[in-house]
């Protein structure tokens, strides 16, 4: 399995941008590492909506997870300039157009920035498909190539765990806040990409806290 | 990053001491430099590294600090810290931090910790104090301050003015003027023989046109009411109020050591139990008495918010009930005339044990010195009905089990009461015992002490070392168990969707009362208050010191939770109950509560072993 992953990694790296290829290669040694050793990075993004074709990424928060800790000194929060206005979505994430004019990246600069941040680290998302769809669409637009790599998805981990205990999952029980409540993690009221990335990293710590740290990280990977 | 991004973390730190004292730019730097970790109960203890010491800030979960000998040093919940002693001393870590409940922890490096200490004097002082306290705690862990602040010894005047009984009153008056006091102790051979007050000088010297040469012994109040140095302040207030006096000599082992005055007490007490009791004693009719009793819920609320110990609250509230009962008896006697025969008003159950709380019902009975004739029966029927319905109107509702003095079944001569108890003791039917157990927590609220003693002595003589009776009473005490299983379930159901609560009374306090009662009756103890029973049982070596203190702590903790819960219900205008919803508990309190129930469980097991071996 892990061999196949490595092979397909190499295969998929064909035609990718040099930076993306570098990221694929940096992942290769990580796939066999144990949970305790592997460098990870928790990521969350805010978008203007839920449709990758129509909506845009407006901010990215990330915090590395090394040696089972989240060092906030290494955390980053990046705003991204968009074409048009944030519109109604400002109600949720609190970012208004004025913010985006200050210290923000252009859309085409986002992927290079992000790839440099995550180099040598596996990414953790809560509900990865959505974030990955946005990133992938952005890659198509700016480079004309696709992008697929394995990530950790705390929502998937939680779903698997809950399904072992009961067969029907109540609606909403996999939302980040609901998952965190089950581990007695504090409620973070703010809706910003950085706090949500931290919240996601904490959830992963909690989910894996009682698991043998020698288990391979490959057990937790999800392939889009 | 701008400052709003880590707002939830910043807000948390900004609310806990000493981070709340940091200037905002330091607090900001602090948030940005934290490292977040999560510790699972499964891993047992937090791995602490002496090479890389850190300050650990508990964000959620529960932890326990134990020293190298395994003794408990501290319990920690959200907003508490560990790791600071080695940060401050530079010594290697000797304590262990056990994980009681999974939790999130913020880590702060030594470099930043030192920077914060250098940058904020308040921050530095806080951890210096915490460190000193930790050191003290490790030394004198078992020393418990019991009620020191509320003891008479804490506010009495030490080395009071005292005069020999031969002293002329003029000399005594000069001494009193010199010390600016309104009273002096009168001694003979170091023994207290009287007290001389301003009022005595006026009434017994000046008004009698006597000169300053008369000896103090002629003007003093002889054999004054005194109080023990270990008594509670409120017990002194009670003495003063009952005897209408303003000065109380304080004795320690029979030796006069001080004096308290009503002024001392008023100065020290801003709460009003004594004012309420005083008001009760001043009322001239039942209607106004009922009106005064409306203040009782407020009194309870004040005591709870003043964070009084549950044991004291029970004693204070019961004193109010006693005062109300006595006043009702006196007012009705004034209407009905002098009683044809001597009697005692008996309080059972929680009033007997002096642990009344909110919404107590009344449990009482009447003890008559002799068999009443028909006119005496009619008199006591009228008296008891009037007193019981008076209590009902004051908020002590009629006993659902009809254990009340107005019920002819519980209005008996000494001989019949003795017979009744003998029946319970000699043929202990478990079902009958279940109802009868509250009778064994009896106290005389009104009436001649020797009459009551005649009943109590007989009962204790019957029960002491009576194996069959004690085994039956033990069986009764074991019919309920503390809700330990509840916690197991609670831990499994992490959603906390469990809506049922814990019945703190019937599965907590009552069980400890039952346990203490069995031990007390087995050894002929006259004490009925559970906390006092436990203290005497420890002193007599019937309970080991460790078990006894654990049980007393559990009793206090559970009662405290019950009161705090009722205080919260009162504030939210909910109906008062003994049910505690687990969601209302922090994880730390949940652990303490579970520990308390564990103690009750162990004490039940020990009780069974001791009294039910042969059955």
């Amino acid at each position: 399995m892990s061999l196949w992953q490595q092979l397909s990694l190499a295969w998929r790296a064909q035609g990718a941008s040099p930076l993306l290829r570098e990221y694929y290669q940096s992942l290769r040694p990580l796939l066999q590492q144990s949970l305790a050793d592997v460098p990870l990075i928790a990521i969350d993004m805010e978008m203007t909506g839920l449709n990758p074709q129509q909506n845009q990424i407006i901010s990215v928060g990330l915090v590395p997870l090394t040696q089972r800790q989240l060092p906030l000194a290494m955390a980053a929060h990046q705003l991204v300039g968009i074409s048009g206005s944030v519109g109604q979505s400002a109600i949720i994430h609190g970012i208004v157009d004025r913010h985006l004019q200050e210290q923000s990246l252009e859309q085409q600069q986002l992927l290079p920035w992000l790839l440099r941040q995550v180099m040598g680290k596996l990414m953790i998302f809560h509900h990865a498909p959505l974030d990955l769809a946005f990133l992938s669409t952005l890659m198509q637009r700016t480079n004309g190539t696709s992008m697929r790599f394995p990530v950790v998805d705390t929502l998937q981990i939680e779903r698997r765990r809950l399904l072992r205990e009961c067969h029907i999952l109540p609606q909403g029980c996999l939302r980040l806040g609901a998952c965190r409540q089950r581990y007695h993690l504090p409620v973070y009221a703010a809706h910003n990409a950085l706090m949500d990335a931290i919240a996601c990293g904490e959830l992963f710590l909690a989910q894996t806290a009682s698991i043998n740290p020698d288990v391979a990280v490959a057990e937790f990977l999800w392939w889009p | 990053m701008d400052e709003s991004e880590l707002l939830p973390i910043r807000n948390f730190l900004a609310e806990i001491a000493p981070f709340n004292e940091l200037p905002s730019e330091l607090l900001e730097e602090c948030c940005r430099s934290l490292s977040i970790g999560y510790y699972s109960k499964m891993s047992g203890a937090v791995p602490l590294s002496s090479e890389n010491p850190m300050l650990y800030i508990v964000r959620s979960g529960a932890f326990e600090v134990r020293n190298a000998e395994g003794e408990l040093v501290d319990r920690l919940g959200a907003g508490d810290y560990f790791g600071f002693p080695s940060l401050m001393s530079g010594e290697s870590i000797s304590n262990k931090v056990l994980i009681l409940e999974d939790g999130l922890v913020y880590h702060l490096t030594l470099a930043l910790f030192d920077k914060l200490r250098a940058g904020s004097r308040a921050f530095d002082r806080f951890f210096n104090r915490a460190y000193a306290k930790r050191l003290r705690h490790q030394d004198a862990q078992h020393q418990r301050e019991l009620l020191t602040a509320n003891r008479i010894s804490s506010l009495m005047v030490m080395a009071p003015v005292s005069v020999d009984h031969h002293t002329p009153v003029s000399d005594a008056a000069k001494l009193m003027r010199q010390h600016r006091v309104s009273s002096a102790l009168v001694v003979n051979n170091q023994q207290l023989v009287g007290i001389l007050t301003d009022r005595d000088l006026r009434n017994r010297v000046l008004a009698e046109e006597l000169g300053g040469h008369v000896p103090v012994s002629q003007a003093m109040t002889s054999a004054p009411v005194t109080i023990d140095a270990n008594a509670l302040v409120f017990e002194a207030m009670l003495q003063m109020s009952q005897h209408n006096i303003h000065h109380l000599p304080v004795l320690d082992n029979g030796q006069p050591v001080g004096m308290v005055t009503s002024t001392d007490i008023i100065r020290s007490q801003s709460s009003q139990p004594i004012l309420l009791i005083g008001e009760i004693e001043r009322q001239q009719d039942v209607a106004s008495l009922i009106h005064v009793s409306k203040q009782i819920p407020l009194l309870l609320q004040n005591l709870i918010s003043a964070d009084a110990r549950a044991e004291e609250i029970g004693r204070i509230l019961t004193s109010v009930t006693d005062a109300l009962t006595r006043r009702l008896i006196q007012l009705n006697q004034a209407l009905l005339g002098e009683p044809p025969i001597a009697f005692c008003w008996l309080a059972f159950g929680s009033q007997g044990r002096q642990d009344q709380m909110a919404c107590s019902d009344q449990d009482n009975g009447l003890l008559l010195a002799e068999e009443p004739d028909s006119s005496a029966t009619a008199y006591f029927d009228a008296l008891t009905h009037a007193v019981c319905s008076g209590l009902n109107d004051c908020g002590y509702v009629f006993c659902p089990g009809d254990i009340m003095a107005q019920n002819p079944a519980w209005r008996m001569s000494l001989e019949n009461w003795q017979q009744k108890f003998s029946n319970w003791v000699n043929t202990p039917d478990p079902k009958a015992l279940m109802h009868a157990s509250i009778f064994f927590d009896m106290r005389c609220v009104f009436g001649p002490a020797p009459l009551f003693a005649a009943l109590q002595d007989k009962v204790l003589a019957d029960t002491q070392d009576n194996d069959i009776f004690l085994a039956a009473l033990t069986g009764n005490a074991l019919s309920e168990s503390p809700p330990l299983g509840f916690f197991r379930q609670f831990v499994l159901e992490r959603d906390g969707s469990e809506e049922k609560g814990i019945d703190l009374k019937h599965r907590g306090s009552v069980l400890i009362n039952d346990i203490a009662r069995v031990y007390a009756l087995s050894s002929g103890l006259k004490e009925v208050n559970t906390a006092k029973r436990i203290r005497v049982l420890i002193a007599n070596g019937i309970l080991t010191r460790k078990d006894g203190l654990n049980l007393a702590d559990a009793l206090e903790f559970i009662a405290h939770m019950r009161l705090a819960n009722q205080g919260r219900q009162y504030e939210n205008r909910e109906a008062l109950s003994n049910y505690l919803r687990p969601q209302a508990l922090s994880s730390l309190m949940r652990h303490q509560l579970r520990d308390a129930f564990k103690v009750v469980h162990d004490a039940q097991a020990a009780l069974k072993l001791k009294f039910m071996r042969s059955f």
Side-chain angles (χ1 to χ4, degrees):
Chain A
M1 178 71 172
S2 77
L3 185 64
W4 177 83
Q5 282 174 330
Q6 287 183 45
L7 283 175
S8 69
L9 259 179
W11 173 72
R12 279 167 216 281
Q14 300 294 322
S17 72
L19 202 56
L20 182 57
R21 198 174 306 146
E22 200 187 324
Y23 179 63
Y24 282 146
Q25 268 155 12
S26 78
L27 287 188
R28 199 191 288 219
L30 306 184
L31 299 178
Q32 286 150 328
Q33 288 190 4
S34 69
L35 195 59
D37 298 331
V38 71
L40 300 151
I41 186 162
I43 304 177
D44 184 73
M45 309 195 300
E46 298 291 325
M47 301 83 152
T48 56
L50 294 176
N51 185 336
Q53 303 304 324
Q54 291 168 8
N55 301 120
Q56 303 168 74
I57 300 166
I58 55 169
S59 69
V60 181
L62 41 84
V63 56
L65 197 163
T66 45
Q67 286 160 346
R68 311 270 320 140
Q69 285 192 17
L70 300 162
L72 297 191
M74 321 273 277
H77 190 204
Q78 184 60 59
L79 300 182
V80 190
I82 55 166
S83 47
S85 163
V86 295
Q88 287 300 305
S89 69
I91 295 167
I92 296 175
H93 46 64
I95 295 173
V96 293
D97 296 337
R98 180 175 50 80
H99 286 128
L100 292 184
Q101 284 153 15
E102 304 158 5
Q103 27 162 279
S104 62
L105 284 178
E106 301 291 318
Q107 286 279 322
Q108 63 268 28
Q109 295 173 302
L110 173 61
L111 276 173
W113 176 82
L114 183 67
L115 285 171
R116 270 190 288 273
Q117 295 287 329
V118 300
M119 199 61 72
K121 301 180 182 85
L122 280 164
M123 302 189 216
I124 310 175
F125 295 93
H126 190 77
H127 191 30
L130 181 69
D131 298 79
L132 290 181
F134 270 88
L135 290 175
S136 200
T137 309
L138 187 59
M139 185 57 108
Q140 280 291 352
R141 276 198 200 128
T142 54
N143 268 48
T145 54
S146 66
M147 172 171 92
R148 290 177 71 201
F149 41 76
V151 298
V152 174
D153 188 346
T154 48
L155 184 144
Q156 301 275 3
I157 294 175
E158 196 64 7
R159 176 185 287 144
R160 256 193 301 176
R161 192 183 76 88
L162 288 181
L163 280 175
R164 269 200 306 271
E165 287 172 10
C166 59
H167 294 289
I168 301 160
L169 301 183
Q171 204 176 4
C173 74
L174 292 173
R175 278 185 295 107
L176 182 57
C179 293
R180 287 171 58 84
Q181 225 185 351
R182 281 189 286 276
Y183 295 91
H184 298 295
L185 289 168
V187 176
Y188 292 152
H191 227 295
N192 81 49
L194 178 59
M195 265 333 286
D196 279 351
I198 293 170
C200 167
E202 289 176 354
L203 176 61
F204 181 74
L205 282 177
Q207 285 173 327
T208 52
S210 46
I211 287 172
N212 179 358
D214 296 331
V215 76
V217 72
E219 297 279 319
F220 297 93
L221 290 181
W222 178 76
W223 194 274
Chain B
M1 279 188 279
D2 73 47
E3 58 184 58
S4 66
E5 290 170 344
L6 296 170
L7 202 61
I9 295 172
R10 187 197 150 96
N11 287 350
F12 171 76
L13 288 181
E15 278 191 10
I16 56 172
F19 286 89
N20 57 354
E21 308 260 13
L22 290 178
S24 76
E25 69 277 5
L26 268 183
L27 184 62
E28 208 51 56
E29 182 179 352
C30 197
C31 292
R32 271 183 277 120
S33 326
L34 289 176
S35 179
I36 304 175
Y38 187 91
Y39 296 100
S40 160
K41 196 177 157 182
M42 303 270 281
S43 51
V46 179
L48 300 170
S49 143
S50 287
E51 289 85 62
N52 185 19
M54 288 187 283
L55 178 70
Y56 296 77
I57 308 167
V58 179
R59 176 66 205 254
S60 70
F63 299 83
E64 200 171 79
V65 183
R66 289 191 178 265
N67 65 15
E69 286 76 47
E71 287 171 328
L72 182 67
V73 175
D74 209 351
R75 281 242 166 98
L76 311 172
D80 293 332
Y81 310 96
F82 59 92
F84 58 87
S86 49
L87 283 184
M88 308 201 48
S89 67
E91 286 168 14
S92 63
I93 296 158
S94 58
N95 286 347
K96 263 198 150 92
V97 177
L98 306 178
I99 305 158
L100 298 178
E101 188 153 304
D102 295 7
L104 199 68
V105 172
Y106 296 154
H107 307 86
L108 210 125
T109 60
L110 173 60
L112 187 62
F113 182 70
D114 284 345
K115 183 172 179 185
L116 296 178
R117 280 174 70 194
S120 159
R121 184 184 288 215
F123 188 91
D124 185 47
R125 199 186 309 127
F126 178 92
F127 280 103
N128 275 324
R129 279 198 193 140
Y131 180 51
K133 192 173 156 203
R134 185 62 71 77
L135 288 179
R136 263 204 315 278
H137 193 82
Q138 274 162 337
D139 286 346
Q141 208 189 163
H142 302 296
Q143 284 179 14
R144 316 193 123 259
E145 323 172 3
L146 265 171
L147 301 167
T148 39
N150 295 310
R151 290 253 163 95
I152 277 299
S153 45
S154 71
L155 61 88
M156 69 179 184
V157 177
M158 301 287 279
V161 175
S162 69
V163 292
D164 186 82
H165 67 131
H166 290 311
T167 315
V169 286
S170 56
D171 288 2
K174 279 175 200 150
L175 201 62
M176 286 160 71
R177 181 181 64 189
Q178 191 188 331
H179 288 90
R180 299 165 150 269
V181 293
S182 59
S183 64
L185 296 179
V186 184
V187 292
N188 178 8
N189 253 336
Q190 308 204 331
Q191 292 295 312
L192 182 75
V193 292
I195 175 174
L196 182 72
T197 66
D198 283 354
R199 198 205 297 211
D200 295 330
L201 293 173
R202 180 187 68 208
N203 292 351
R204 296 190 185 135
V205 183
L206 289 174
E208 297 290 330
E209 297 186 17
L210 296 175
H213 59 275
V214 290
V216 162
S217 55
Q218 210 177 314
M220 69 184 186
T221 305
S222 310
V225 179
T226 63
I227 190 130
D228 191 82
N230 278 321
L232 300 179
V233 169
F234 104 89
E235 284 167 331
M237 304 197 288
L238 212 55
Q239 289 278 32
M240 292 185 183
S241 164
Q242 268 172 22
H243 298 98
N244 192 25
I245 51 177
H246 302 280
H247 301 85
L248 270 182
V250 182
L251 300 187
D252 190 10
N253 277 328
Q255 299 289 313
V257 291
M259 172 90 90
V260 274
T261 67
S262 49
T263 331
D264 295 336
I265 288 176
I266 288 165
R267 220 176 286 138
S268 76
Q269 298 277 311
S270 47
S271 58
Q272 5 62 333
I274 195 61
L275 300 180
L276 185 56
I277 290 175
E279 226 177 311
I280 287 169
E281 278 160 4
R282 272 197 305 279
Q283 298 313 311
Q284 294 305 323
D285 56 79
V286 175
S288 43
L289 207 53
I290 293 166
H291 183 72
V292 170
S293 73
K294 300 279 183 275
Q295 298 175 35
I296 297 173
L298 195 64
L299 169 67
L300 173 63
Q301 199 56 24
N302 284 344
L303 290 167
I304 294 174
S305 50
D307 216 20
R309 284 175 54 91
E311 185 193 336
E312 291 165 48
I313 293 180
R315 277 158 78 178
I316 292 171
L317 282 188
T318 309
S319 300
V320 174
T321 316
D322 289 356
L324 264 175
T325 312
R326 273 196 293 269
R327 194 67 195 142
L328 280 167
I329 295 170
Q330 288 161 349
L331 288 175
N332 284 295
Q333 272 186 357
L335 295 174
L336 293 168
E338 283 301 301
I341 44 180
F343 71 95
C344 286
W345 186 275
L346 305 178
F348 303 116
S350 62
Q351 192 187 355
R353 283 190 307 271
Q354 295 178 289
D355 61 9
Q356 280 191 314
M357 290 195 183
C359 51
S360 300
D361 55 12
Q362 48 174 304
D363 295 306
N364 46 49
L366 207 69
L367 167 62
L368 303 173
E370 55 198 68
E371 207 53 55
D373 57 19
S374 61
S375 78
T377 303
Y379 176 91
F380 287 115
D381 192 60
L383 178 71
T384 53
H385 272 91
V387 174
C388 287
S389 48
L391 283 171
N392 184 57
D393 293 334
C394 288
Y396 303 89
V397 295
F398 287 128
C399 170
D402 211 14
I403 299 173
M404 287 185 290
Q406 67 178 22
N407 180 350
W410 307 121
R411 200 166 68 218
M412 290 182 280
S413 66
L414 173 63
E415 200 178 323
N416 286 350
W417 271 112
Q418 287 174 335
Q419 189 56 48
K420 193 88 192 166
F421 273 101
S422 288
N423 288 347
W424 284 322
V425 172
N426 294 328
T427 48
D429 163 22
K431 214 172 200 168
L433 263 190
M434 190 132 63
H435 300 293
S437 60
I438 66 155
F439 286 102
F440 288 91
D441 299 338
M442 62 174 166
R443 202 164 49 84
C444 175
V445 174
F446 182 95
L451 175 57
F452 176 67
L455 175 59
Q456 198 181 32
D457 291 345
K458 172 73 166 64
V459 172
L460 290 176
D462 283 350
T463 59
Q464 194 167 1
D465 303 323
N466 183 332
D467 292 343
I468 296 173
F469 167 73
L470 293 171
L473 200 65
T474 301
N476 181 37
L478 300 179
S479 59
E480 273 280 10
S481 57
L484 277 173
F486 183 89
F487 285 96
R488 227 172 8 249
Q489 206 179 4
F490 186 76
V491 171
L492 283 178
E493 296 189 3
R494 306 191 71 152
D495 267 330
S497 54
E498 180 73 71
E499 268 304 320
K500 273 179 291 179
I502 310 171
D503 185 343
L504 291 173
K505 182 179 175 190
H506 292 100
R507 304 194 65 185
S509 311
V510 166
L511 304 187
I512 303 178
N513 291 338
D514 287 347
I515 292 167
R517 184 185 305 116
V518 177
Y519 281 112
L521 293 178
S522 78
S523 53
L525 226 68
K526 289 196 170 172
E527 204 53 73
V528 282
N529 176 272
T530 301
K532 286 186 184 168
R533 272 177 170 166
I534 294 172
R535 284 200 280 274
V536 178
L537 289 168
I538 296 172
N540 294 351
I542 293 164
L543 285 179
T544 66
R545 193 175 156 71
K546 181 163 160 281
D547 290 350
L549 288 180
N550 279 343
L551 198 59
D553 283 351
L555 176 75
E556 172 65 25
F557 186 76
I558 293 170
H560 181 85
M561 295 296 290
R562 218 175 126 193
L563 282 169
N565 191 42
Q566 291 182 343
R568 197 181 44 73
Q569 291 168 338
Y570 181 88
E571 273 171 17
N572 298 341
R573 295 167 192 275
E574 295 167 21
L576 298 194
S577 82
N578 295 308
Y579 280 92
L580 177 72
R581 285 208 314 273
Q583 292 93 326
L585 284 176
S586 72
S587 57
L588 184 65
M589 279 159 121
R590 211 154 56 225
H591 273 276
Q592 290 176 318
L593 192 58
R594 177 165 52 188
D595 280 359
F597 283 134
K598 184 78 175 39
V599 167
V600 179
H601 175 264
D602 293 348
Q604 281 192 333
L607 191 76
K608 185 175 182 182
L609 200 67
K610 188 167 164 90
F611 294 104
M612 290 181 79
R613 253 179 318 200
S614 46
F615 296 92

